[in-house]
Amino acid sequence: MFDVSRVQKELTECNRDKAISGVSIALYEGGSDLSHLRGTITGPVSTPYEGGTFLIDIQLPSGYPFEPPKMQFITKVWHPNISSQNGAICLDILKDQWSPALTLKTALVSLQALLSAPEPDDPQDAVVAKQYLQEYPTFVATARYWTEAFARTSVAIEEKVRRLVEMGFPEDLVKSTLDSVNGDENLALEKLCSS
Amino acid sequence: MAEYEDCPSSSDVEEGDCYLSDQEDAIEESVLQGLEDRREEESHWSLSSVITKESLLAAQKEDLRKVMELFALKEQHARTLLIHYRWDVERIFELLDQKGRERLFSEAGVSNVENKILSTSPTPVMCTVCFENVIENAVTEMDCGHSFCNECWTEHFIVKINDGQSRRIRCMAPKCNAVCDEEVIRNLVSAKYPDVADRFDRFLLESYIEDNNKVKWCPSVPHCGNAIRIEGDIYCEVECTCGIQFCFNCSSEAHSPCSCLMWELWTKKCQDESETVNWITVNTKPCPKCHKPVEKNGGCNLVACICGQAFCWLCGGATGRDHTWSSISGHSCGRFKEDQAKRTERARRDLYRYMHYHNRYKAHTDSLKQESNLKETIQGKISISENKESKIKDYTWVINGLSRLFRSRRVLSYSYPFAYYMFGDELFKDEMTPQERELKQNLFEDQQQQLESNVEKLSMFLETDFQFFSDDEVMDIMRHVINLSNVVDRLCKQMYQCIENDLLYPLQRATHNIAPYKSKGLEKASELSVCWDSDQSLTSMKTSLDDHYVQWDPTQNRIGSTSHKRHCEHQLHGSSSSDDSGCSSRKRARTSSHSGASFFDLNMPAEVIDKI
């Protein structure tokens, strides 16, 4: 079993300055399992990801922190080192360059840095990487569009909950439905109406 | 080709079907020549040695010692350095000149031990891995200067050892390239998990085999536990003490004069019989009903499968059974297709070509198998002969002739796959013009045929029931056998030379290397000889391995004192001269490199063993 006390300390430590760092970690879907977490990072300014909030699924292996955490984007993102299909990340510190002295926070901050500085020569998503190298303006436009379409929803999640509750749905149901469709308001509404 | 003149008998073989048997002088000359060759070969010593489980430690120690002496390093640092540079001591010496000590060390992950500052803070410190405050004596600082608590270190080591990364466990600090001190690892891990520590030691020990270009595991199945170390060229064939013979470069069976690539392609081809499959796809069509391949045996294009279904040979579509000269009932399709005919023709030619070479390769391999039984029969014949009233008491010539027969059969059988690739399109399509190819093929095949006919003759004489013959007849057979053995040996040698110098060497695009011809058969790897006296030093080395913090001190802990020193000096200084032993660059024209141990026995003088 992994080091529970370290993870608890990490969570407290990380969330203490989340306003400044733009990085926070919570238990996944409000559960109680310390090995399944959800990280949040804000898109770095003056990048196509600015204004977006990106959710990251974090699974801690039993050997954590001596084995690297498993991280994957939940929010869809258009980036050469992140799979546009499933959110898999290509980052060295999550693989062979992981060090036990690194933390979840430092890993998330590295992901933020990766958003600012893609490495198209070591791509996870070949299509995106090709576009980044050959048609940079198209890449920027697509990345920005994806940020608008998928990463902004989670910012105003309270706003959406409020609107849907006003329509007469119970708050708990609204929250879980929004969660299940990754915060897409229209999909959630459809689902709520059909249920 | 010019060397043919040197060989009095081979030129005669071309003319008649018998070599010189009536010219005593010539026989004696060739026998003398043979003796000279042997003497020449004996001046080379075995270049390969067997490393057993027991001698692995000693083998490593030799290299470790050289590096420890040169850099005045502790053993664990020398090992880290050697693992990084794949146990190539000469390369480390070279790189020391090029890179300098500091870069050489830092690239390998060896910390600069001299700059180590001992921290002496008595206050509790926080371990940045578990975020706990720990008292100072529960913290270990690595040579790189990073310290963490012992519990975290231990966990880290165990994860890495279980991950199979024992040979390069890095420090836990981010971006720190330093490799952890193996003694610290051993100490911490064995305190908690002694079995993991044992495994760690075994991994380190085996690194000498697995991270080393000059050492390979013997490929025997079930595994004999040995590894073979060679000096010099990796393109060679060796025999392990377990009896298995293999090509050192590719670890498959000894296959010269085929190159490793040719042999790989050939075995694959023989296994999947891809030519047969080719032929079937081109010459048959699947029945549209039962899907069995159907071959057309003449007649019109209406074909009937044995299952009763009729179909059109041209398009493969099912049809009715009625037909006229111009049409098939219920069916009509295109005309004769020319490219189809060409493909059929090609596939048939390729298959015939392959069959030609394969049949001959197989015939010689089968002969070799049958002749292996000959050894016992001949032993029987010899003991009968030795017991009868006769002037002839010495029958070593039979045994020698037999080993010559085995050796040349092997060469002959592998020469067929060689020829298949050498003169085929698969590997060297654009290397030669058709004229060049024809010329070279003729040259090679002349030699091959000469060898073949002499090998068959040798086989014939060896199979005679000489035990019942009169002394004169036996003398006659002896002369034949001795002479033929020499002829065959010479022809083998010439064929290898022809392959290396005239066929493989001029290749522009590809490099194919073959193991050199060894007149006396494959080199038997000798037991690794440890130069200083074994028992005592081995145990003392083992204890020093167990005794974790003993630092090796060149002035006090010298094992086997003088003899060892002499040995090390020899190796340090002798490193440059090791090239003389006949093996150097990858692509070369070899004229006469046949260094080898004797076929049946490997008796080397003690001073030669000392030098290995």
Side-chain angles (χ1 to χ4, degrees):
Chain A
M1 190 52 192
F2 61 89
D3 189 340
V4 175
S5 93
R6 162 163 160 156
V7 176
Q8 278 166 342
K9 280 180 191 156
E10 275 199 56
L11 292 185
T12 337
E13 170 68 27
C14 177
N15 293 332
R16 191 181 299 154
D17 60 349
K18 63 178 171 191
I20 309 161
S21 64
V23 162
S24 68
I25 308 169
L27 292 175
Y28 192 80
E29 291 188 355
S32 59
D33 184 2
L34 262 182
S35 71
H36 197 181
L37 307 171
R38 187 162 78 182
T40 312
I41 59 175
T42 53
V45 285
S46 60
T47 67
Y49 310 102
E50 183 175 356
T53 302
F54 299 87
L55 300 181
I56 289 131
D57 180 275
I58 305 171
Q59 306 239 26
L60 301 182
S62 61
Y64 184 81
F66 301 99
E67 288 169 25
K70 293 187 173 66
M71 293 194 176
Q72 204 167 354
F73 273 86
I74 301 171
T75 313
K76 279 169 85 73
V77 85
W78 190 253
H79 185 282
N81 304 102
I82 300 160
S83 165
S84 58
Q85 301 293 311
N86 60 15
I89 305 163
C90 182
L91 183 64
D92 59 351
I93 62 150
L94 292 179
K95 297 184 175 92
D96 57 320
Q97 291 301 309
W98 170 257
S99 140
L102 293 173
T103 61
L104 295 175
K105 183 182 166 182
T106 49
L108 288 175
V109 170
S110 299
L111 283 182
Q112 239 179 349
L114 187 68
L115 290 182
S116 329
E119 287 173 37
D121 295 328
D122 183 20
Q124 168 77 39
D125 194 309
V127 179
V128 186
K130 205 175 153 202
Q131 194 191 55
Y132 181 90
L133 290 171
Q134 292 172 359
E135 311 161 64
Y136 186 71
T138 324
F139 163 79
V140 173
T142 317
R144 187 166 289 139
Y145 173 76
W146 278 45
T147 307
E148 292 295 324
F150 306 112
R152 284 189 81 88
T153 48
S154 42
V155 190
I157 193 100
E158 281 86 23
E159 181 65 17
K160 283 181 215 160
V161 172
R162 195 183 53 78
R163 274 203 296 266
L164 289 169
V165 171
E166 274 176 6
M167 289 180 201
F169 299 107
E171 189 172 336
D172 284 353
L173 186 64
V174 167
K175 275 183 178 163
S176 63
T177 314
L178 269 172
D179 251 353
S180 71
V181 293
N182 284 338
D184 188 314
E185 195 178 340
N186 292 332
L187 270 181
L189 184 58
E190 255 175 52
K191 231 178 162 179
L192 284 166
C193 290
S194 63
S195 66
Chain B
M1 287 299 279
E3 275 183 58
Y4 272 12
E5 317 313 273
D6 293 344
C7 175
S9 20
S10 65
S11 55
D12 257 45
V13 175
E14 287 176 62
E15 291 157 25
D17 58 353
C18 201
Y19 63 94
L20 298 167
S21 59
D22 47 352
Q23 292 182 17
E24 304 277 322
D25 288 352
I27 293 175
E28 260 163 43
E29 192 185 304
S30 81
V31 170
L32 278 176
Q33 184 72 47
L35 284 174
E36 263 167 38
D37 279 356
R38 218 146 289 153
R39 228 170 286 135
E40 185 188 312
E41 278 176 23
E42 269 155 20
S43 69
H44 295 269
W45 61 82
S46 167
L47 293 171
S48 58
S49 40
V50 175
I51 299 174
T52 58
K53 278 186 199 115
E54 291 70 35
S55 60
L56 177 55
L57 188 69
Q60 257 194 45
K61 287 278 166 178
E62 272 181 43
D63 286 349
L64 281 171
R65 239 157 245 294
K66 285 183 221 165
V67 172
M68 284 157 72
E69 286 198 342
L70 182 79
F71 295 102
L73 275 179
K74 283 200 275 182
E75 184 179 302
Q76 60 266 39
H77 294 124
R79 196 190 322 273
T80 307
L81 204 60
L82 277 162
I83 289 175
H84 184 77
Y85 294 106
R86 299 192 63 80
W87 293 92
D88 192 337
V89 180
E90 281 167 36
R91 182 152 171 73
I92 291 180
F93 292 170
E94 258 171 47
L95 287 174
L96 177 63
D97 282 344
Q98 288 170 21
K99 299 187 170 185
R101 188 186 168 103
E102 213 150 289
R103 242 184 83 204
L104 186 76
F105 280 26
S106 73
E107 279 176 18
V110 178
S111 314
N112 210 340
V113 200
E114 293 136 58
N115 296 345
K116 191 175 166 183
I117 306 151
L118 287 170
S119 63
T120 46
S121 59
T123 47
V125 278
M126 193 180 74
C127 168
T128 52
V129 169
C130 60
F131 298 155
E132 303 284 346
N133 286 324
V134 270
I135 50 165
E136 207 220 343
N137 62 3
V139 171
T140 301
E141 185 185 290
M142 279 298 154
D143 293 333
C144 54
H146 298 114
S147 50
F148 299 95
C149 80
N150 290 344
E151 293 229 345
C152 286
W153 276 124
T154 312
E155 270 317 303
H156 175 63
F157 297 150
I158 285 170
V159 166
K160 292 291 174 190
I161 293 169
N162 288 336
D163 233 21
Q165 295 181 32
S166 294
R167 292 167 208 138
R168 284 188 75 71
I169 300 182
R170 292 187 186 284
C171 167
M172 285 199 283
K175 310 268 174 210
C176 179
N177 188 39
V179 173
C180 296
D181 189 316
E182 65 182 58
E183 296 197 343
V184 176
I185 298 176
R186 196 175 291 122
N187 258 358
L188 286 174
V189 172
S190 63
K192 215 169 164 186
Y193 306 95
D195 54 318
V196 181
D198 288 348
R199 236 176 40 235
F200 172 70
D201 276 335
R202 213 187 62 227
F203 282 138
L204 281 192
L205 214 54
E206 287 179 354
S207 150
Y208 185 74
I209 296 167
E210 291 181 358
D211 307 325
N212 192 333
N213 299 342
K214 295 284 184 193
V215 181
K216 281 219 171 106
W217 288 111
C218 166
S220 53
V221 179
H223 192 238
C224 63
N226 294 343
I228 305 286
R229 183 176 76 184
I230 55 145
E231 312 279 330
D233 201 343
I234 57 163
Y235 294 100
C236 65
E237 293 166 341
V238 287
E239 184 180 322
C240 177
T241 44
C242 73
I244 197 171
Q245 301 186 326
F246 66 101
C247 165
F248 186 83
N249 185 48
C250 69
S251 290
S252 59
E253 66 176 275
H255 52 68
S256 73
C258 271
S259 69
C260 295
L261 177 61
M262 290 173 179
W263 183 245
E264 193 195 328
L265 292 171
W266 180 258
T267 42
K268 204 164 157 254
K269 198 178 192 73
C270 295
Q271 260 168 26
D272 64 5
E273 287 180 304
S274 45
E275 294 290 342
T276 318
V277 176
N278 264 355
W279 192 88
I280 288 176
T281 46
V282 175
N283 290 287
T284 70
K285 286 218 167 69
C287 164
K289 189 176 166 203
C290 70
H291 305 294
K292 285 197 182 101
V294 177
E295 188 191 4
K296 193 157 106 77
N297 56 0
C300 75
N301 280 330
L302 175 71
V303 181
C305 175
I306 45 167
C307 75
Q309 175 67 48
F311 65 96
C312 167
W313 181 252
L314 292 181
C315 70
T319 65
R321 298 186 71 84
D322 302 326
H323 66 99
T324 65
W325 287 111
S326 54
S327 68
I328 300 170
S329 111
H331 183 74
S332 72
C333 75
R335 291 157 296 166
F336 174 74
K337 290 176 186 124
E338 199 182 356
D339 67 322
Q340 173 70 19
K342 272 187 189 151
R343 267 198 315 170
T344 316
E345 178 55 32
R346 217 195 134 105
R348 186 181 297 132
R349 212 183 51 227
D350 284 354
L351 182 67
Y352 282 152
R353 184 165 186 277
Y354 167 67
M355 269 161 51
H356 168 89
Y357 287 105
H358 186 263
N359 286 343
R360 277 156 189 78
Y361 158 73
K362 188 117 183 7
H364 287 293
T365 333
D366 291 347
S367 299
L368 184 62
K369 274 183 205 137
Q370 277 164 8
E371 284 161 351
S372 309
N373 305 330
L374 204 61
K375 200 168 179 181
E376 283 168 34
T377 332
I378 279 193
Q379 287 291 358
K381 289 181 188 173
I382 291 176
S383 47
I384 295 173
S385 302
E386 279 172 344
N387 290 332
K388 74 176 183 185
E389 288 275 313
S390 163
K391 284 182 288 179
I392 306 161
K393 288 290 167 210
D394 186 9
Y395 286 91
T396 45
W397 55 271
V398 190
I399 299 297
N400 289 342
L402 196 63
S403 65
R404 174 62 53 218
L405 176 67
F406 291 163
R407 179 77 198 117
S408 40
R409 270 273 187 241
R410 285 186 77 94
V411 171
L412 206 49
S413 70
Y414 293 116
S415 75
Y416 281 100
F418 166 80
Y420 176 80
Y421 287 109
M422 187 70 225
F423 308 113
D425 285 342
E426 194 168 334
L427 285 178
F428 308 129
K429 192 166 190 272
D430 305 318
E431 288 273 7
M432 293 170 273
T433 64
Q435 292 80 9
E436 267 179 325
R437 177 176 299 178
E438 199 189 327
L439 210 73
K440 289 185 172 179
Q441 189 164 356
N442 284 337
L443 172 75
F444 177 78
E445 283 174 353
D446 282 350
Q447 301 203 6
Q448 201 181 28
Q449 272 165 33
Q450 266 186 26
L451 178 61
E452 196 157 29
S453 66
N454 281 289
V455 166
E456 296 305 340
K457 262 180 243 162
L458 180 61
S459 174
M460 185 189 79
F461 281 113
L462 284 169
E463 281 178 28
T464 52
D465 291 322
F466 58 86
Q467 73 271 36
F468 307 123
F469 292 3
S470 70
D471 276 3
D472 284 349
E473 284 169 312
V474 175
M475 282 298 278
D476 195 40
I477 290 178
M478 179 175 92
R479 247 181 248 124
H480 282 293
V481 168
I482 292 178
N483 202 356
L484 274 170
S485 297
N486 286 320
V487 171
V488 160
D489 182 26
R490 205 160 280 272
L491 287 173
C492 283
K493 206 181 294 171
Q494 278 169 10
M495 193 164 88
Y496 270 67
Q497 280 170 14
C498 164
I499 288 173
E500 288 192 50
N501 300 342
D502 301 329
L503 301 177
L504 294 179
Y505 185 67
L507 294 176
Q508 297 297 313
R509 290 178 185 80
T511 307
H512 282 249
N513 288 317
I514 61 167
Y517 176 65
K518 303 266 169 106
S519 184
K520 294 184 180 174
L522 257 59
E523 180 172 312
K524 280 190 175 182
S526 55
E527 293 283 349
L528 182 81
S529 53
V530 188
C531 53
W532 57 85
D533 203 276
S534 47
D535 287 347
Q536 192 200 345
S537 56
L538 265 176
T539 39
S540 74
M541 276 192 298
K542 274 194 181 121
T543 46
S544 84
L545 194 76
D546 295 339
D547 195 356
H548 300 134
Y549 279 110
V550 168
Q551 186 180 346
W552 187 71
D553 179 347
T555 56
Q556 286 175 1
N557 199 14
R558 173 149 290 155
I559 295 166
S561 60
T562 48
S563 71
H564 164 245
K565 185 165 184 241
R566 199 191 62 212
H567 169 80
C568 286
E569 276 170 2
H570 172 84
Q571 274 174 329
L572 284 174
H573 301 191
S575 57
S576 58
S577 68
S578 69
D579 279 359
D580 303 346
S581 44
C583 323
S584 47
S585 63
R586 259 166 63 73
K587 198 162 180 173
R588 73 254 116 140
R590 213 188 268 124
T591 47
S592 68
S593 73
H594 43 90
S595 51
S598 79
F599 186 39
F600 287 114
D601 196 2
L602 194 87
N603 291 320
M604 291 186 301
E607 66 267 25
V608 175
I609 293 180
D610 243 5
K611 284 179 187 169
I612 296 169

